[in-house]
């Protein structure tokens, strides 16, 4: 285990229908002890892995899922191959009950092959499950997903949405880093990733400080959450998080939502476009564009376009769905010339 002294701030005694904005709009991670302890899924898992398996099968119909499979020598860590030209696992599309069969077969295997079903929409894979196992997030249009596997390690990465991660079966360890630590986490390729998000190349189990010396500084900013069944963790948007599932059978339910209008595009697209069109400009031009981005984007306020009549501000005024659609059309037209 990494030498991290700081723990995520804990709050106990809340129930799934009692989460207000002081929790769900926090800018710091929060560990909500026992939030979903009354879920039947949690109680089944505390009885035994086989009870948890049986409970999941109650809701299964005939859904297929995306699974990730790795050899025992990967030790559960989903990562690249040696030269980052590929990965150390292979993806399959398979029936969920087949995955459950494989997990059950290897409960006592040491070391087992790595078996993992990540980010699967609950209402599609297990219709009815949320009638007994859910969190009331009010008006937030959250995507509810389930994650099922054995002992797995997910490299440090960030997600754009806010995230409420609920441990239903097994124990988990989250190691979190605030936004801005990417320099110290040695992030891999942006456009070739194990599961969609760029990841840290540091092996947290065996950090190579000669190769990644600044990782020691990242650890000075890290927070850890040791989670038991029934616990939940609120992860604010853009916080880096490394996830370890610690038992032979693990189930996590999470909810993702954004605090921005649906018409807003993902900033990742803007980043990729900037890499293509700004990064390799001559230094003085790049500096000039940095000032333009600062003025119009990162430090924009009511004064930015105050000198322009309100009706003439166009993209410098408040945006909505129609305005965003018009901007996208203009961008597509320009990019396809």
């Amino acid at each position: 285990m990494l030498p991290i002294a700081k723990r995520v701030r804990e709050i106990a005694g809340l129930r799934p229908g009692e989460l207000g904005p002081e929790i769900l709009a926090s800018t710091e991670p929060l560990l909500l002890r026992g939030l979903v302890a009354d879920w039947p899924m949690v109680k089944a898992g505390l009885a035994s892995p086989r009870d948890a398996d049986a409970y999941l099968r109650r809701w299964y119909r005939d859904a297929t899922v995306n699974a990730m499979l790795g050899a025992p020598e990967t030790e559960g860590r989903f990562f690249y191959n040696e030269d980052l030209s590929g990965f150390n696992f292979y993806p399959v599309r398979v029936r969920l009950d087949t995955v459950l069969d494989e997990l059950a077969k290897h409960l006592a295997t040491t070391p087992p092959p790595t078996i993992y079903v990540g980010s699967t929409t609950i209402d599609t894979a297990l219709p009815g499950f949320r009638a007994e196992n859910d969190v009331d997030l009010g008006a937030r249009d959250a995507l509810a997903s389930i994650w099922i596997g054995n002992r797995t390690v997910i490299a440090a990465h960030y997600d754009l949405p806010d995230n409420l991660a609920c441990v239903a079966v097994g124990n988990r360890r989250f190691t979190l880093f605030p936004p801005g630590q990417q320099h110290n986490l040695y992030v891999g390729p942006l456009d070739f990733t194990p599961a969609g998000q760029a990841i840290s190349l540091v092996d947290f189990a065996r950090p190579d400080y000669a190769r990644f010396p600044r990782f020691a500084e990242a650890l000075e900013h890290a927070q850890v959450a040791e989670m038991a069944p029934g616990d939940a963790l609120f992860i604010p948007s853009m916080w880096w998080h490394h996830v370890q599932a610690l038992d032979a059978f693990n189930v996590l339910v999470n909810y993702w939502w954004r605090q921005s209008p649906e018409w807003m595009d993902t900033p990742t697209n803007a980043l990729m476009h900037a890499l293509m069109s700004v990064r390799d400009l001559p230094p003085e031009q790049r500096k000039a564009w940095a000032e333009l981005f600062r003025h119009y984007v990162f430090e924009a306020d009511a004064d930015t376009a105050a000198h322009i009549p309100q009706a003439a501000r166009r993209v410098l005024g408040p945006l909505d769905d129609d305005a965003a659609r018009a901007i996208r059309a203009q961008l597509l037209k320009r990019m396809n010339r």
Side-chain angles (χ1 to χ4, degrees):
M1 182 177 175
L2 293 169
I4 301 169
K6 187 172 183 180
R7 303 284 167 167
V8 172
R9 183 163 74 93
E10 296 188 17
I11 299 175
L14 292 175
R15 300 269 64 87
E18 300 174 348
L19 301 182
E22 70 281 1
I23 301 294
L24 300 179
S26 173
T27 58
E28 295 278 334
L30 298 170
L31 177 53
L32 310 177
R33 286 287 185 200
L35 181 74
V36 297
D38 291 335
W39 278 6
M41 178 78 261
V42 173
K43 294 177 179 178
L46 288 173
S48 73
R50 298 197 185 279
D51 284 90
D53 175 282
Y55 184 81
L56 285 172
R57 292 178 193 263
R58 279 183 50 192
W59 309 103
Y60 176 72
R61 299 297 177 264
D62 59 355
T64 56
V65 296
N66 293 317
M68 300 160 68
L69 307 178
E73 54 265 28
T74 67
E75 299 180 326
R77 182 180 182 232
F78 292 105
F79 198 63
Y80 294 95
N81 60 11
E82 192 66 30
D83 63 0
L84 275 66
S85 63
F87 304 108
N88 68 350
F89 63 91
Y90 61 95
V92 295
R93 184 75 181 171
V94 64
R95 286 171 57 98
L96 179 56
D97 59 347
T98 301
V99 177
L100 295 175
D101 289 344
E102 283 298 302
L103 286 167
K105 184 169 72 174
H106 292 288
L107 282 175
T109 303
T110 304
T114 303
I115 304 166
Y116 185 62
V117 174
S119 189
T120 298
T121 304
I122 295 174
D123 293 339
T124 300
L126 299 168
F129 177 91
R130 290 176 64 195
E132 295 186 359
N133 309 270
D134 206 12
V135 174
D136 181 5
L137 296 173
R140 293 168 180 82
D141 184 19
L143 174 65
S145 301
I146 195 165
W147 313 66
I148 305 168
N150 51 10
R151 291 183 177 89
T152 56
V153 179
I154 306 302
H157 64 284
Y158 67 83
D159 296 309
L160 174 60
D162 291 310
N163 184 359
L164 183 69
C166 305
V167 175
V169 180
N171 294 269
R172 289 192 184 236
R173 178 182 300 120
F174 281 74
T175 306
L176 301 104
F177 304 84
Q181 283 300 307
Q182 63 275 352
H183 180 64
N184 297 323
L185 289 171
Y186 297 90
V187 180
L190 298 183
D191 54 347
F192 183 63
T193 67
Q197 294 296 101
I199 66 169
S200 169
L201 299 184
V202 180
D203 183 351
F204 281 31
R206 290 174 288 271
D208 183 347
Y209 291 105
R211 182 181 176 191
F212 305 120
R214 293 190 307 274
F215 182 62
E217 183 179 341
L219 291 178
E220 295 178 8
H221 301 272
Q223 299 181 34
V224 67
E226 300 281 358
M227 300 178 66
D231 293 341
L233 178 66
F234 173 72
I235 306 173
S237 169
M238 305 301 291
W239 273 71
W240 295 85
H241 48 287
H242 175 276
V243 190
Q244 297 166 269
L246 303 174
D247 293 286
F249 189 74
N250 300 272
V251 178
L252 179 134
V253 170
N254 91 297
Y255 302 84
W256 274 317
W257 69 92
R258 294 183 64 182
Q259 297 186 43
S260 53
E262 290 185 9
W263 53 260
M264 285 188 67
D265 196 5
T266 170
T268 302
N269 289 342
L271 174 62
M272 299 300 284
H273 201 130
L275 288 172
M276 178 179 69
S277 57
V278 177
R279 184 193 62 186
D280 295 330
L281 288 171
E284 287 302 312
Q285 293 183 31
R286 191 168 64 244
K287 188 183 300 182
W289 278 103
E291 286 301 307
L292 284 173
F293 273 85
R294 180 190 61 77
H295 180 71
Y296 286 113
V297 179
F298 297 110
E299 296 182 13
D301 57 22
D303 291 333
T304 302
H307 58 287
I308 303 174
Q310 189 168 351
R313 292 176 188 173
R314 296 180 173 84
V315 299
L316 295 179
L319 298 178
D320 57 19
D321 185 67
D322 291 335
R325 190 178 294 110
I327 293 171
R328 281 194 291 271
Q330 289 181 17
L331 288 172
L332 287 170
K333 185 177 180 179
R334 292 175 182 176
M335 292 176 67
N336 289 329
R337 285 178 180 174

